Structure formats: structure tokens, C-alpha cells
Amino acid sequence: MGIVKISDLMHENLRVAGNALGRSINGQAEHWMRVGMLTELHPELDHREICQLLIQAELSGGLDILAAATAQPAKARSPSAAGKR
């Protein structure tokens, strides 16, 4: 475990979002980091698919960057569905 320095504004954002979603400040920060990491690794995925990857990772023992880099969502989006946003 380490210390991560963040701005006062980000800390307040984490506090507000964490309170609204029933998470601690650290829990909210970790959630945003996981979502951000998966979004960078899989820019083609939408939020629902990112959540599916998070659930799959949790069922497999936790999010590992190597596994996340090679993971696929439970149901891949079809090319025709991608254009229907």
C-alpha cells in the first residue's frame, strides 16, 4: 500500500461521490481507478461492459493488470450495435 497525493478538489469530489454511492473515499478512488484503467485498456467498451469486466475480475480473485489487458467482456458488442448509441 502506498500514499497517493491528490488535489483538495479531487478529494472533495471523491467524498461527494463516495457518500452518494455508499463508498468510502478510498473505495470511491479505487473504483474510479479500476474503471479508468479498464477504459484505457479497452477504449472500445462502454460502461456496462467495463462493469462486466470488473465483476468477472472480482469473481476471479481481483483485478490484475495482465488479466485486464487480455480480458474480454462476457458479451462482446456487435459492429451493428456499436453504431446505435
Coordinates of all heavy atoms in Angstrom, one line a residue:
M1 N 0.8 -1.2 0.0 CA 0.0 0.0 0.0 C 0.9 1.2 0.0 O 2.0 1.2 0.6 CB -0.9 0.0 1.2 CG -1.8 1.2 1.2 SD -3.1 1.4 2.4 CE -3.1 0.2 3.6
G2 N 0.4 2.3 -0.6 CA 1.2 3.5 -0.7 C 0.3 4.7 -0.5 O -0.9 4.6 -0.3
I3 N 0.9 5.9 -0.6 CA 0.2 7.1 -0.5 C 0.2 7.8 -1.8 O 1.2 7.9 -2.5 CB 0.9 8.0 0.6 CG1 0.8 7.4 2.0 CG2 0.3 9.4 0.6 CD1 1.6 8.2 3.0
V4 N -1.0 8.2 -2.2 CA -1.2 8.9 -3.5 C -1.6 10.4 -3.1 O -2.6 10.5 -2.4 CB -2.2 8.2 -4.3 CG1 -2.5 9.0 -5.6 CG2 -1.8 6.8 -4.7
K5 N -0.9 11.3 -3.6 CA -1.3 12.7 -3.4 C -2.3 13.2 -4.4 O -2.0 13.0 -5.6 CB -0.1 13.6 -3.4 CG 0.9 13.4 -2.2 CD 2.0 14.4 -2.2 CE 2.9 14.1 -1.0 NZ 3.9 15.1 -0.9
I6 N -3.4 13.8 -4.0 CA -4.4 14.3 -4.9 C -4.7 15.7 -4.5 O -4.5 16.1 -3.3 CB -5.6 13.4 -5.0 CG1 -6.3 13.3 -3.6 CG2 -5.3 12.0 -5.5 CD1 -7.6 12.6 -3.6
S7 N -5.3 16.4 -5.4 CA -5.7 17.8 -5.1 C -6.9 17.8 -4.1 O -7.6 16.8 -3.9 CB -6.2 18.5 -6.3 OG -7.4 18.0 -6.8
D8 N -7.0 19.0 -3.4 CA -8.2 19.1 -2.5 C -9.5 19.0 -3.2 O -10.4 18.4 -2.7 CB -8.1 20.5 -1.8 CG -6.9 20.6 -0.8 OD1 -6.4 19.5 -0.3 OD2 -6.5 21.7 -0.5
L9 N -9.6 19.5 -4.4 CA -10.8 19.4 -5.2 C -11.1 17.9 -5.5 O -12.3 17.5 -5.4 CB -10.7 20.2 -6.5 CG -11.9 20.2 -7.4 CD1 -13.2 20.6 -6.7 CD2 -11.7 21.0 -8.7
M10 N -10.2 17.2 -5.9 CA -10.4 15.7 -6.2 C -10.8 15.0 -5.0 O -11.7 14.2 -5.0 CB -9.2 15.1 -6.9 CG -9.4 13.6 -7.2 SD -10.8 13.2 -8.2 CE -10.2 13.8 -9.8
H11 N -10.2 15.3 -3.8 CA -10.6 14.7 -2.6 C -12.1 15.0 -2.3 O -12.8 14.1 -1.8 CB -9.7 15.2 -1.4 CG -9.9 14.4 -0.2 ND1 -10.8 14.8 0.8 CD2 -9.3 13.3 0.3 CE1 -10.8 14.0 1.8 NE2 -9.8 13.1 1.5
E12 N -12.5 16.3 -2.5 CA -13.9 16.6 -2.2 C -14.8 15.9 -3.2 O -15.9 15.4 -2.8 CB -14.0 18.2 -2.4 CG -15.4 18.7 -2.1 CD -16.0 18.4 -0.7 OE1 -15.2 18.0 0.2 OE2 -17.2 18.6 -0.5
N13 N -14.4 15.8 -4.5 CA -15.2 15.1 -5.5 C -15.4 13.6 -5.0 O -16.4 13.0 -5.1 CB -14.5 15.1 -6.8 CG -14.6 16.5 -7.5 OD1 -15.4 17.3 -7.1 ND2 -13.7 16.7 -8.4
L14 N -14.3 13.0 -4.5 CA -14.3 11.6 -4.0 C -15.3 11.5 -2.8 O -16.0 10.5 -2.7 CB -12.9 11.1 -3.7 CG -12.0 10.8 -4.8 CD1 -10.6 10.7 -4.4 CD2 -12.4 9.6 -5.6
R15 N -15.2 12.5 -1.9 CA -16.1 12.4 -0.8 C -17.5 12.5 -1.2 O -18.4 11.7 -0.7 CB -15.7 13.6 0.2 CG -16.5 13.5 1.5 CD -16.3 14.8 2.3 NE -16.9 16.0 1.7 CZ -18.2 16.2 1.6 NH1 -19.1 15.3 2.1 NH2 -18.7 17.3 1.0
V16 N -17.9 13.4 -2.1 CA -19.3 13.6 -2.5 C -19.7 12.4 -3.2 O -20.8 11.8 -2.9 CB -19.4 14.9 -3.4 CG1 -20.8 14.9 -4.1 CG2 -19.1 16.1 -2.6
A17 N -19.0 11.9 -4.2 CA -19.4 10.7 -5.0 C -19.5 9.5 -4.0 O -20.4 8.7 -4.2 CB -18.4 10.4 -6.1
G18 N -18.5 9.3 -3.2 CA -18.5 8.2 -2.2 C -19.7 8.2 -1.3 O -20.4 7.2 -1.1
N19 N -20.1 9.4 -0.8 CA -21.3 9.5 0.0 C -22.5 9.1 -0.7 O -23.4 8.4 -0.2 CB -21.4 10.9 0.6 CG -20.4 11.1 1.8 OD1 -19.9 10.2 2.4 ND2 -20.2 12.4 2.1
A20 N -22.6 9.6 -2.0 CA -23.8 9.4 -2.8 C -23.9 7.9 -3.1 O -25.0 7.4 -3.3 CB -23.7 10.2 -4.0
L21 N -22.8 7.2 -3.3 CA -22.8 5.8 -3.8 C -22.5 4.8 -2.7 O -22.4 3.6 -3.0 CB -21.8 5.7 -4.9 CG -22.2 6.5 -6.2 CD1 -21.0 6.5 -7.2 CD2 -23.5 6.1 -6.8
G22 N -22.5 5.3 -1.4 CA -22.2 4.3 -0.3 C -20.9 3.7 -0.3 O -20.7 2.6 0.2
R23 N -19.9 4.5 -0.7 CA -18.5 4.1 -0.7 C -17.7 5.0 0.2 O -18.0 6.2 0.3 CB -17.9 4.0 -2.1 CG -18.5 3.1 -3.0 CD -17.8 3.1 -4.4 NE -18.4 2.2 -5.3 CZ -18.9 2.6 -6.5 NH1 -18.9 3.8 -6.8 NH2 -19.5 1.7 -7.3
S24 N -16.6 4.5 0.8 CA -15.6 5.4 1.5 C -14.9 6.2 0.4 O -15.0 5.9 -0.8 CB -14.6 4.5 2.2 OG -13.8 3.8 1.3
I25 N -14.2 7.2 0.9 CA -13.3 8.0 -0.1 C -12.3 7.1 -0.8 O -12.2 7.1 -2.0 CB -12.6 9.1 0.7 CG1 -13.7 10.2 1.1 CG2 -11.6 9.8 -0.2 CD1 -13.1 11.3 2.0
N26 N -11.7 6.2 0.0 CA -10.7 5.3 -0.7 C -11.4 4.3 -1.6 O -10.9 4.0 -2.7 CB -9.9 4.5 0.4 CG -8.9 5.4 1.1 OD1 -8.6 6.5 0.7 ND2 -8.4 4.9 2.2
G27 N -12.6 3.8 -1.2 CA -13.3 2.9 -2.1 C -13.7 3.6 -3.4 O -13.7 2.9 -4.4
Q28 N -14.2 4.8 -3.3 CA -14.6 5.6 -4.5 C -13.3 5.8 -5.4 O -13.4 5.6 -6.6 CB -15.2 6.9 -4.1 CG -15.8 7.6 -5.3 CD -16.9 6.9 -6.0 OE1 -17.7 6.3 -5.4 NE2 -16.9 6.9 -7.3
A29 N -12.2 6.1 -4.8 CA -11.0 6.4 -5.6 C -10.6 5.1 -6.3 O -10.2 5.1 -7.5 CB -9.9 6.9 -4.7
E30 N -10.6 4.0 -5.6 CA -10.3 2.7 -6.2 C -11.2 2.3 -7.3 O -10.8 1.8 -8.4 CB -10.2 1.6 -5.2 CG -9.0 1.6 -4.3 CD -8.8 0.3 -3.5 OE1 -9.1 -0.8 -4.0 OE2 -8.3 0.4 -2.4
H31 N -12.5 2.6 -7.1 CA -13.5 2.3 -8.2 C -13.2 3.1 -9.4 O -13.1 2.6 -10.5 CB -14.9 2.6 -7.7 CG -15.9 2.5 -8.7 ND1 -16.3 1.3 -9.3 CD2 -16.6 3.5 -9.4 CE1 -17.2 1.5 -10.2 NE2 -17.4 2.8 -10.3
W32 N -12.9 4.4 -9.2 CA -12.6 5.3 -10.4 C -11.3 4.8 -11.0 O -11.2 4.9 -12.3 CB -12.5 6.7 -10.0 CG -13.9 7.4 -9.9 CD1 -15.1 6.9 -10.3 CD2 -14.2 8.7 -9.3 NE1 -16.1 7.8 -10.0 CE2 -15.6 8.9 -9.4 CE3 -13.4 9.6 -8.7 CZ2 -16.2 10.0 -8.9 CZ3 -14.0 10.8 -8.3 CH2 -15.4 11.0 -8.4
M33 N -10.3 4.4 -10.3 CA -9.1 3.9 -10.8 C -9.3 2.7 -11.6 O -8.7 2.5 -12.7 CB -8.0 3.7 -9.8 CG -7.5 5.1 -9.3 SD -6.1 4.9 -8.1 CE -6.9 4.6 -6.6
R34 N -10.1 1.7 -11.1 CA -10.3 0.5 -11.9 C -11.0 0.8 -13.2 O -10.7 0.3 -14.2 CB -11.2 -0.4 -11.0 CG -10.5 -1.1 -9.9 CD -11.4 -2.1 -9.2 NE -11.0 -2.4 -7.9 CZ -11.5 -2.0 -6.8 NH1 -12.5 -1.2 -6.8 NH2 -10.9 -2.3 -5.6
V35 N -12.1 1.6 -13.1 CA -12.8 2.0 -14.3 C -11.9 2.7 -15.3 O -11.9 2.4 -16.5 CB -14.1 2.8 -14.0 CG1 -14.7 3.4 -15.2 CG2 -15.1 2.0 -13.2
G36 N -11.1 3.6 -14.8 CA -10.2 4.3 -15.7 C -9.2 3.4 -16.4 O -8.9 3.5 -17.5
M37 N -8.6 2.5 -15.6 CA -7.6 1.6 -16.1 C -8.2 0.7 -17.2 O -7.7 0.6 -18.3 CB -7.1 0.7 -15.0 CG -6.0 -0.3 -15.5 SD -5.3 -1.3 -14.2 CE -6.6 -2.4 -13.8
L38 N -9.4 0.2 -16.9 CA -10.1 -0.7 -17.9 C -10.5 0.1 -19.2 O -10.4 -0.4 -20.3 CB -11.3 -1.4 -17.3 CG -10.9 -2.5 -16.3 CD1 -12.2 -3.0 -15.6 CD2 -10.2 -3.6 -17.0
T39 N -10.9 1.4 -19.0 CA -11.3 2.2 -20.1 C -10.1 2.5 -21.0 O -10.2 2.5 -22.2 CB -11.9 3.5 -19.6 OG1 -13.0 3.2 -18.8 CG2 -12.3 4.4 -20.7
E40 N -8.9 2.7 -20.4 CA -7.7 2.9 -21.2 C -7.2 1.6 -21.9 O -6.8 1.7 -23.0 CB -6.5 3.4 -20.3 CG -6.7 4.9 -19.9 CD -5.5 5.4 -19.2 OE1 -4.6 4.7 -18.8 OE2 -5.5 6.7 -19.0
L41 N -7.4 0.5 -21.2 CA -7.0 -0.8 -21.8 C -8.0 -1.2 -22.9 O -7.6 -1.9 -23.9 CB -6.9 -1.9 -20.8 CG -5.7 -1.7 -19.8 CD1 -5.9 -2.7 -18.6 CD2 -4.4 -1.9 -20.5
H42 N -9.3 -0.9 -22.8 CA -10.3 -1.3 -23.7 C -11.2 -0.1 -24.1 O -12.4 0.0 -23.7 CB -11.2 -2.4 -23.0 CG -10.5 -3.6 -22.6 ND1 -10.1 -4.5 -23.5 CD2 -10.0 -4.0 -21.4 CE1 -9.4 -5.5 -22.9 NE2 -9.4 -5.2 -21.6
P43 N -10.7 0.8 -24.9 CA -11.5 2.0 -25.2 C -12.7 1.7 -26.1 O -13.6 2.5 -26.2 CB -10.5 2.9 -26.0 CG -9.4 1.9 -26.5 CD -9.4 0.8 -25.5
E44 N -12.8 0.5 -26.6 CA -13.9 0.1 -27.4 C -15.1 -0.3 -26.6 O -16.3 -0.4 -27.1 CB -13.6 -1.0 -28.4 CG -13.4 -2.4 -27.7 CD -12.1 -2.6 -27.0 OE1 -11.2 -1.7 -26.9 OE2 -11.9 -3.7 -26.4
L45 N -15.0 -0.4 -25.3 CA -16.0 -0.9 -24.4 C -16.8 0.3 -23.8 O -16.3 1.3 -23.5 CB -15.5 -1.8 -23.3 CG -14.7 -3.0 -23.7 CD1 -14.2 -3.8 -22.4 CD2 -15.5 -3.9 -24.6
D46 N -18.1 0.0 -23.6 CA -18.9 1.0 -22.9 C -18.9 0.8 -21.4 O -18.3 -0.2 -20.9 CB -20.3 1.1 -23.5 CG -21.1 -0.2 -23.3 OD1 -20.8 -1.0 -22.4 OD2 -22.1 -0.4 -24.1
H47 N -19.6 1.6 -20.6 CA -19.6 1.5 -19.2 C -20.2 0.1 -18.7 O -19.6 -0.5 -17.8 CB -20.4 2.6 -18.6 CG -20.3 2.6 -17.1 ND1 -21.3 2.2 -16.3 CD2 -19.3 3.0 -16.2 CE1 -20.9 2.3 -15.0 NE2 -19.7 2.8 -14.9
R48 N -21.2 -0.3 -19.3 CA -21.8 -1.6 -19.0 C -20.8 -2.7 -19.1 O -20.7 -3.6 -18.3 CB -23.1 -1.9 -19.8 CG -23.7 -3.2 -19.6 CD -24.9 -3.5 -20.5 NE -24.4 -3.4 -21.9 CZ -23.9 -4.4 -22.6 NH1 -23.6 -5.5 -22.0 NH2 -23.5 -4.2 -23.8
E49 N -20.1 -2.7 -20.2 CA -19.1 -3.8 -20.5 C -17.9 -3.7 -19.5 O -17.3 -4.7 -19.1 CB -18.6 -3.7 -21.9 CG -19.7 -4.1 -22.9 CD -19.5 -3.6 -24.3 OE1 -18.8 -2.6 -24.6 OE2 -19.9 -4.4 -25.3
I50 N -17.5 -2.4 -19.2 CA -16.5 -2.3 -18.2 C -16.9 -2.9 -16.8 O -16.2 -3.5 -16.2 CB -16.1 -0.8 -18.0 CG1 -15.5 -0.2 -19.3 CG2 -15.2 -0.5 -16.8 CD1 -14.1 -0.8 -19.6
C51 N -18.2 -2.6 -16.5 CA -18.7 -3.2 -15.2 C -18.7 -4.7 -15.3 O -18.4 -5.4 -14.3 CB -20.1 -2.7 -15.0 SG -20.2 -0.9 -14.5
Q52 N -19.0 -5.3 -16.4 CA -18.9 -6.7 -16.6 C -17.5 -7.2 -16.3 O -17.3 -8.3 -15.7 CB -19.4 -7.2 -18.0 CG -20.9 -7.0 -18.1 CD -21.3 -7.3 -19.6 OE1 -20.5 -7.4 -20.5 NE2 -22.6 -7.6 -19.8
L53 N -16.5 -6.5 -16.9 CA -15.1 -6.9 -16.6 C -14.8 -6.8 -15.2 O -14.1 -7.7 -14.6 CB -14.2 -6.1 -17.5 CG -14.1 -6.4 -19.0 CD1 -13.2 -5.4 -19.6 CD2 -13.7 -7.8 -19.2
L54 N -15.3 -5.8 -14.5 CA -15.0 -5.7 -13.0 C -15.6 -6.8 -12.3 O -15.0 -7.3 -11.3 CB -15.6 -4.3 -12.5 CG -14.8 -3.1 -12.9 CD1 -15.5 -1.8 -12.6 CD2 -13.4 -3.1 -12.3
I55 N -16.8 -7.2 -12.6 CA -17.4 -8.3 -11.9 C -16.7 -9.6 -12.2 O -16.4 -10.4 -11.3 CB -18.9 -8.5 -12.4 CG1 -19.7 -7.3 -11.8 CG2 -19.5 -9.8 -11.9 CD1 -21.1 -7.1 -12.3
Q56 N -16.3 -9.9 -13.5 CA -15.5 -11.0 -13.8 C -14.2 -11.1 -13.0 O -13.8 -12.1 -12.5 CB -15.2 -11.1 -15.3 CG -16.4 -11.4 -16.2 CD -16.1 -11.1 -17.7 OE1 -15.0 -10.8 -18.1 NE2 -17.1 -11.3 -18.5
A57 N -13.6 -9.9 -12.9 CA -12.3 -9.8 -12.2 C -12.5 -10.2 -10.7 O -11.7 -10.9 -10.1 CB -11.7 -8.4 -12.3
E58 N -13.6 -9.6 -10.1 CA -13.9 -9.9 -8.7 C -14.1 -11.4 -8.5 O -13.6 -12.0 -7.5 CB -15.1 -9.1 -8.3 CG -15.4 -9.2 -6.8 CD -14.3 -8.7 -5.9 OE1 -13.5 -7.8 -6.3 OE2 -14.2 -9.2 -4.7
L59 N -14.8 -12.0 -9.4 CA -15.1 -13.5 -9.3 C -13.8 -14.3 -9.5 O -13.7 -15.4 -9.0 CB -16.2 -13.9 -10.3 CG -17.6 -13.4 -10.1 CD1 -18.5 -13.7 -11.2 CD2 -18.1 -13.9 -8.8
S60 N -12.8 -13.7 -10.1 CA -11.6 -14.4 -10.3 C -10.5 -14.1 -9.3 O -9.3 -14.4 -9.5 CB -11.0 -14.1 -11.7 OG -11.9 -14.5 -12.7
G61 N -10.9 -13.3 -8.3 CA -9.9 -13.0 -7.2 C -9.4 -11.6 -7.2 O -8.5 -11.3 -6.4
G62 N -9.8 -10.7 -8.0 CA -9.4 -9.3 -8.0 C -8.9 -8.9 -9.4 O -8.6 -9.7 -10.2
L63 N -8.8 -7.6 -9.5 CA -8.3 -7.0 -10.8 C -6.8 -7.0 -10.9 O -6.1 -6.4 -10.1 CB -8.9 -5.6 -11.0 CG -8.7 -4.9 -12.3 CD1 -9.3 -5.7 -13.4 CD2 -9.2 -3.5 -12.3
D64 N -6.3 -7.7 -11.9 CA -4.9 -7.8 -12.2 C -4.7 -7.2 -13.6 O -5.4 -7.5 -14.5 CB -4.5 -9.3 -12.2 CG -3.1 -9.5 -12.7 OD1 -2.2 -8.9 -12.1 OD2 -2.9 -10.2 -13.7
I65 N -3.7 -6.3 -13.7 CA -3.5 -5.6 -15.0 C -3.2 -6.5 -16.1 O -3.7 -6.3 -17.2 CB -2.4 -4.5 -14.8 CG1 -2.5 -3.5 -16.1 CG2 -1.0 -5.0 -14.7 CD1 -1.9 -2.2 -15.9
L66 N -2.5 -7.6 -15.9 CA -2.2 -8.5 -17.0 C -3.5 -9.2 -17.5 O -3.8 -9.3 -18.7 CB -1.2 -9.6 -16.6 CG -0.8 -10.6 -17.6 CD1 -0.2 -10.0 -18.9 CD2 0.2 -11.6 -17.1
A67 N -4.3 -9.6 -16.5 CA -5.6 -10.3 -16.9 C -6.5 -9.2 -17.5 O -7.2 -9.5 -18.5 CB -6.2 -10.9 -15.7
A68 N -6.5 -8.0 -17.0 CA -7.4 -6.9 -17.5 C -7.0 -6.6 -19.0 O -7.9 -6.3 -19.8 CB -7.3 -5.7 -16.6
A69 N -5.7 -6.6 -19.3 CA -5.3 -6.3 -20.6 C -5.7 -7.3 -21.7 O -5.9 -7.0 -22.8 CB -3.7 -6.1 -20.6
T70 N -5.9 -8.5 -21.2 CA -6.3 -9.6 -22.2 C -7.8 -10.0 -22.0 O -8.2 -10.8 -22.8 CB -5.4 -10.8 -22.0 OG1 -5.5 -11.3 -20.6 CG2 -4.0 -10.5 -22.3
A71 N -8.5 -9.4 -21.1 CA -9.9 -9.8 -20.8 C -10.8 -9.4 -21.9 O -10.6 -8.4 -22.5 CB -10.3 -9.3 -19.4
Q72 N -11.9 -10.1 -22.0 CA -13.0 -9.7 -22.9 C -14.2 -9.7 -22.1 O -14.4 -10.5 -21.2 CB -13.1 -10.8 -24.1 CG -11.9 -10.8 -25.0 CD -11.6 -9.5 -25.7 OE1 -12.6 -8.9 -26.2 NE2 -10.4 -9.1 -25.8
P73 N -15.2 -8.8 -22.5 CA -16.4 -8.8 -21.8 C -17.2 -10.0 -22.0 O -17.0 -10.8 -23.0 CB -17.2 -7.6 -22.3 CG -16.5 -7.3 -23.6 CD -15.1 -7.8 -23.5
A74 N -18.2 -10.3 -21.1 CA -19.0 -11.6 -21.2 C -19.7 -11.6 -22.6 O -19.8 -12.7 -23.2 CB -20.0 -11.6 -20.1
K75 N -20.1 -10.5 -23.1 CA -20.8 -10.5 -24.4 C -20.2 -9.3 -25.2 O -20.5 -8.2 -24.9 CB -22.3 -10.3 -24.2 CG -23.1 -10.4 -25.5 CD -24.6 -10.2 -25.2 CE -25.4 -10.2 -26.5 NZ -26.8 -9.9 -26.2
A76 N -19.4 -9.6 -26.2 CA -18.8 -8.6 -27.0 C -19.9 -7.8 -27.8 O -20.9 -8.4 -28.3 CB -17.8 -9.2 -27.9
R77 N -19.7 -6.6 -28.0 CA -20.6 -5.7 -28.7 C -20.4 -6.1 -30.2 O -19.3 -6.2 -30.7 CB -20.3 -4.3 -28.5 CG -21.2 -3.4 -29.2 CD -20.8 -1.9 -29.0 NE -20.4 -1.6 -27.7 CZ -19.6 -0.6 -27.4 NH1 -19.3 0.3 -28.3 NH2 -19.2 -0.3 -26.2
S78 N -21.6 -6.2 -30.9 CA -21.5 -6.5 -32.4 C -21.2 -5.2 -33.1 O -21.6 -4.1 -32.6 CB -22.8 -7.1 -32.8 OG -23.9 -6.1 -32.7
P79 N -20.7 -5.2 -34.3 CA -20.4 -4.0 -35.0 C -21.7 -3.2 -35.3 O -21.6 -1.9 -35.3 CB -19.8 -4.5 -36.3 CG -19.2 -5.8 -36.0 CD -20.1 -6.4 -34.9
S80 N -22.8 -3.8 -35.5 CA -24.0 -3.1 -35.8 C -24.5 -2.4 -34.5 O -25.1 -1.3 -34.6 CB -25.1 -4.0 -36.3 OG -25.4 -5.0 -35.4
A81 N -24.3 -3.0 -33.3 CA -24.7 -2.3 -32.1 C -23.9 -1.1 -31.7 O -24.4 -0.2 -31.1 CB -24.7 -3.3 -31.0
A82 N -22.6 -1.1 -32.2 CA -21.7 0.0 -31.8 C -22.2 1.3 -32.4 O -22.0 2.4 -31.9 CB -20.3 -0.3 -32.3
G83 N -22.9 1.3 -33.6 CA -23.3 2.5 -34.2 C -24.7 3.0 -33.7 O -25.1 4.0 -34.1
K84 N -25.3 2.3 -32.8 CA -26.6 2.6 -32.3 C -26.6 3.4 -31.0 O -27.6 3.3 -30.2 CB -27.5 1.4 -32.1 CG -27.8 0.6 -33.4 CD -28.6 -0.6 -33.2 CE -28.9 -1.3 -34.5 NZ -29.7 -2.5 -34.2
R85 N -25.6 4.1 -30.7 CA -25.5 4.9 -29.5 C -26.4 6.1 -29.5 O -26.5 6.9 -30.3 CB -24.1 5.2 -29.2 CG -23.4 4.0 -28.7 CD -22.0 4.5 -28.3 NE -21.3 3.3 -27.8 CZ -20.1 3.4 -27.3 NH1 -19.5 4.5 -27.1 NH2 -19.5 2.3 -26.8

